[in-house]
């Protein structure tokens, strides 16, 4: 292994910002393309890779060799992509089962109002910055517009939106979440 590669791994293991910049510049695009082959959606592929990079930082991972590191990256992206696909399949099956279940007969106007009341009360419980970003998203602002207005990175916007959706999913019933999905995404 040459000196540059050794230095990169050493710096990554020590959580130096320069190593994460190198990681992003040298691996991000290739990993996104790899994920897109599996999930077929660029935004989802980008989220998968971004989550992996955040995980490496937060978990303070240590790598013993460049080969082990590369293997970890691609294996992690593959596993996360396959998990995403499985999750989508489960959601679709659940939505179909709810459609065929007669227990859910309701007045659409009353139910829609209740669903939105529940959504907005859940959004109010988000942390302040997450709340601000998600409300801007709901008002139709694009990620890059939000980043520019708030003077934050595009990745921060994506991460905060993802956290908001996860929080909403965890705090309202799956049935309501599926009904809201087109409006909040």
């Amino acid at each position: 292994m040459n000196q540059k590669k050794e230095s990169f791994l050493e710096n990554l293991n020590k959580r130096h910002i320069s190593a994460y910049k190198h990681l992003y510049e040298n691996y991000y695009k290739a990993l996104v393309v790899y994920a897109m082959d599996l999930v077929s959606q660029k935004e989802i592929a980008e989220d998968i890779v971004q989550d992996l990079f955040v995980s490496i930082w937060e978990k303070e991972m240590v790598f013993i060799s460049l080969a082990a590191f590369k293997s970890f990256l691609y294996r992690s992206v593959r596993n996360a992509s396959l998990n995403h696909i499985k999750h989508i399949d489960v959601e679709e099956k659940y939505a179909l089962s709810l459609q065929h279940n007669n227990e859910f007969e309701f007045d659409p106007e009353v139910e829609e109002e209740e669903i939105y009341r529940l959504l907005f009360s859940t959004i109010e419980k988000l942390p302040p910055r997450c709340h601000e970003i998600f409300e801007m998203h709901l008002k139709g602002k694009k990620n890059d517009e939000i980043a520019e207005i708030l003077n934050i990175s595009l990745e921060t916007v994506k991460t905060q939106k993802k956290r908001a959706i996860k929080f909403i999913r965890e705090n309202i019933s799956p049935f309501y979440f599926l009904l809201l999905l087109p409006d909040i995404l």
Side-chain angles (χ1 to χ4, degrees), residues 66-90:
L66 190 60
F69 171 69
K70 288 180 179 181
S71 174
F72 169 80
L73 289 178
Y74 283 94
R75 188 177 62 249
S76 296
V77 168
R78 182 177 186 278
N79 290 342
S81 297
L82 294 176
N83 285 343
H84 172 78
I85 292 166
K86 287 178 191 173
H87 183 72
I88 295 299
D89 288 344
V90 168

Side-chain angles (χ1 to χ4, degrees), residues 128-142:
R129 187 59 136 189
C130 189
H131 178 268
E132 179 180 28
I133 290 169
F134 197 71
E135 277 200 344
M136 292 175 87
H137 163 71
L138 288 177
K139 291 177 182 173
K141 299 274 188 225
K142 302 281 185 216

Side-chain angles (χ1 to χ4, degrees), residues 2-177:
N2 69 32
Q3 183 64 29
K4 187 176 182 181
K5 291 178 184 176
E6 281 181 22
S7 175
F8 164 67
L9 273 183
E10 185 178 310
N11 288 336
L12 186 66
N13 289 341
K14 292 179 180 176
R15 296 181 63 194
H16 290 175
I17 298 297
S18 63
Y20 285 89
K21 183 178 179 186
H22 178 84
L23 172 65
Y24 179 82
E25 291 172 350
N26 291 285
Y27 294 94
Y28 181 80
K29 287 180 184 176
L31 291 170
V32 168
V33 169
Y34 180 63
M36 279 180 51
D37 284 343
L38 297 165
V39 298
S40 303
Q41 293 179 333
K42 185 177 181 185
E43 190 168 296
I44 291 169
E46 288 174 337
D47 286 344
I48 288 169
V49 174
Q50 185 179 5
D51 286 348
L52 172 60
F53 287 3
V54 169
S55 176
I56 292 170
W57 175 265
E58 289 178 347
K59 293 181 180 178
E60 300 181 25
M61 296 180 162
V62 175
F63 301 96
I64 57 172
S65 71
L66 190 60
F69 171 69
K70 288 180 179 181
S71 174
F72 169 80
L73 289 178
Y74 283 94
R75 188 177 62 249
S76 296
V77 168
R78 182 177 186 278
N79 290 342
S81 297
L82 294 176
N83 285 343
H84 172 78
I85 292 166
K86 287 178 191 173
H87 183 72
I88 295 299
D89 288 344
V90 168
E91 282 181 350
E92 288 173 356
K93 287 177 184 174
Y94 184 70
L96 283 174
S97 74
L98 290 178
Q99 279 180 337
H100 297 297
N101 189 341
N102 290 334
E103 291 178 17
F104 291 101
E105 293 180 22
F106 53 85
D107 178 351
E109 287 180 18
V110 172
E111 193 66 23
E112 184 175 343
E113 184 179 310
E114 177 62 19
I115 291 169
Y116 281 101
R117 185 199 63 73
L118 182 61
L119 171 65
F120 288 109
S121 72
T122 304
I123 290 172
E124 289 299 319
K125 296 174 187 170
L126 291 169
R129 187 59 136 189
C130 189
H131 178 268
E132 179 180 28
I133 290 169
F134 197 71
E135 277 200 344
M136 292 175 87
H137 163 71
L138 288 177
K139 291 177 182 173
K141 299 274 188 225
K142 302 281 185 216
N143 290 348
D144 55 343
E145 292 176 286
I146 296 170
E148 187 176 324
I149 291 168
L150 298 177
N151 197 26
I152 57 177
S153 74
L154 182 60
E155 286 74 26
T156 299
V157 172
K158 290 178 182 178
T159 299
Q160 291 296 325
K161 280 177 45 182
K162 192 171 187 177
R163 286 181 181 154
I165 291 170
K166 181 181 179 192
F167 182 82
I168 292 166
R169 183 183 313 128
E170 291 171 350
N171 287 282
I172 63 174
S173 83
F175 176 71
Y176 292 146
F177 181 77

